[in-house]
Amino acid sequence: ILQQRRMRSPWVAAICISVPIISVVVLVHSGVLGVDETANNRDSMMMDKGSTGGEVKKISGVDHGNQVEMYDKATGLKYLLYTPNLHPTNGALREKSDKKEGEASNEKWPLLVFLHGAGESGSGSAMGLVADGITGCPPVELHYKRAIPELHTKFIVASPRTARGWGDSDRLKTFTENLLANEKLQIDSKSIYLSGVSMGGAGVWRGASTGLFAALAPVCAAGMVQPSDVSVPVWAFHGANDDVVPVSYTDRNIAALKKAKPDLEIRYTRYDKSPGPIGYPGYDGHASWMQVYTGKDYTDGTTTYKGHHGPELFKWMLSKSLN
């Protein structure tokens, strides 16, 4: 567990300390995607050719879709994969769809790739991303059915878990390309978006070089941006009172981007005050993600933190596409 109040390098950032929730089911197979043990009718939909099979834990709902644990053999990444209710892989849940059960659809879906911070690092189950410390982030809100409609009805969401940081952009590229290659997911290659918090925010800056993402949303990001890597719209977020990753990191990165790319769309939301992660009062101001991905102001019982940019952020993402 990483506990560090100040960063000593651009690639080491302490964020919230989270106690992983251990999943008792781990998927191991030779393909990109596996099957859902409780939805055998979807086996043919979710299994790649050549797969040796495997089981994943399903977390389902009526209004929300499914979030399941997956494994990408090529990169060694375990990840949580969310598909909306109306996605064809969730045929049994498509109560609001005009299409009949099993009817083919050629609709393409946007993909959001979410990168966690250092506190959720690990090689165990991807369910370790469902942690109180990152309350407000997509994998947690989707798990508990609290995600806003602009997220849970519109996006496929992939949340990988790493034990070695996000500095390897080639690994991230391979992971994303493997998702895109799975025809069952019907991902729109022009509508893939990247967001992450703290160490994951540094991964967003690195991921810009892959050329796969239509927009970037780094949150309380560690690391330094290489302006030459960035060629798509950016919306960055940071709390001015962040006591873990100082806001000066994002201040400098945005200033550098605006100077190097004056014609590029660059947005920066700098919160006057952000909360600390739930359960870790010593990490003041670091949980600006509670203001970024949600639809209402967050209150800890004594203080209300203004900012609920989720609806606007996800609509903004969907307005961006690769040429």
Side-chain angles (χ1 to χ4, degrees):
I1 297 176
L2 179 63
Q3 299 188 54
Q4 180 180 326
R5 295 293 300 277
R6 298 290 184 182
M7 294 185 302
R8 291 181 173 84
S9 80
W11 293 111
V12 179
I15 71 161
C16 53
I17 308 306
S18 301
V19 179
I21 299 174
I22 304 301
S23 172
V24 297
V25 183
V26 177
L27 173 67
V28 180
H29 67 92
S30 63
V32 177
L33 294 179
V35 299
D36 188 333
E37 64 173 327
T38 61
N40 292 329
N41 61 316
R42 295 198 289 127
D43 286 0
S44 61
M45 178 71 75
M46 294 297 288
M47 185 181 290
D48 282 341
K49 293 180 180 179
S51 173
T52 60
E55 295 181 344
V56 293
K57 180 178 180 181
K58 185 178 84 166
I59 308 162
S60 64
V62 175
D63 292 326
H64 285 62
N66 293 316
Q67 183 163 259
V68 296
E69 183 170 11
M70 296 293 188
Y71 177 70
D72 177 31
K73 184 178 180 181
T75 61
L77 288 169
K78 297 168 187 174
Y79 62 102
L80 296 179
L81 179 67
Y82 172 84
T83 51
N85 186 28
L86 298 184
H87 190 274
T89 58
N90 292 325
L93 296 175
R94 295 187 301 158
E95 297 180 357
K96 299 178 182 179
S97 176
D98 293 331
K99 296 184 176 63
K100 296 179 180 179
E101 182 70 24
E103 184 178 342
S105 170
N106 294 321
E107 181 182 1
K108 294 295 185 179
W109 288 80
L111 169 67
L112 172 64
V113 177
F114 172 79
L115 305 181
H116 66 79
E120 290 67 53
S121 296
S123 57
S125 168
M127 286 298 294
L129 299 180
V130 182
D132 287 346
I134 54 169
T135 294
C137 291
V140 178
E141 300 307 292
L142 290 168
H143 176 90
Y144 290 114
K145 314 302 178 192
R146 299 186 305 232
I148 59 177
E150 290 82 359
L151 175 62
H152 78 73
T153 67
K154 302 295 185 182
F155 290 85
I156 296 171
V157 182
S159 303
R161 190 182 189 196
T162 183
R164 65 186 204 215
W166 298 113
D168 187 349
S169 58
D170 288 338
R171 191 186 192 202
L172 177 61
K173 181 178 181 181
T174 298
F175 172 77
T176 306
E177 287 177 336
N178 285 347
L179 289 169
L180 183 59
N182 191 291
E183 295 180 357
K184 307 300 187 300
L185 289 178
Q186 299 181 190
I187 294 171
D188 183 351
S189 62
K190 296 182 179 181
S191 302
I192 305 177
Y193 310 95
L194 183 62
S195 188
V197 300
S198 198
M199 179 185 79
V204 171
W205 292 134
R206 292 299 296 266
S209 66
T210 65
L212 292 174
F213 303 105
L216 309 173
V219 181
C220 56
M224 302 304 294
V225 70
Q226 293 294 329
S228 59
D229 290 342
V230 181
S231 58
V232 297
V234 173
W235 191 352
F237 301 83
H238 215 130
N241 63 321
D242 194 328
D243 198 29
V244 180
V245 179
V247 70
S248 57
Y249 274 79
T250 300
D251 289 347
R252 288 195 297 267
N253 283 334
I254 294 301
L257 275 177
K258 287 183 174 180
K259 181 178 180 179
K261 303 288 182 74
D263 296 327
L264 188 64
E265 180 183 351
I266 301 171
R267 302 178 68 171
Y268 180 20
T269 297
R270 194 180 195 270
Y271 298 114
D272 291 336
K273 191 172 185 179
S274 292
I278 291 177
Y280 301 95
Y283 293 82
D284 295 340
H286 193 45
S288 50
W289 53 79
M290 290 184 175
Q291 299 159 289
V292 173
Y293 302 114
T294 59
K296 61 181 180 180
D297 294 341
Y298 171 72
T299 179
D300 59 11
T302 58
T303 303
T304 296
Y305 298 89
K306 297 295 184 180
H308 45 275
H309 284 92
E312 186 180 358
L313 171 63
F314 296 126
K315 289 177 182 178
W316 174 83
M317 286 181 175
L318 293 175
S319 73
K320 311 304 175 187
S321 63
L322 291 177
N323 296 325

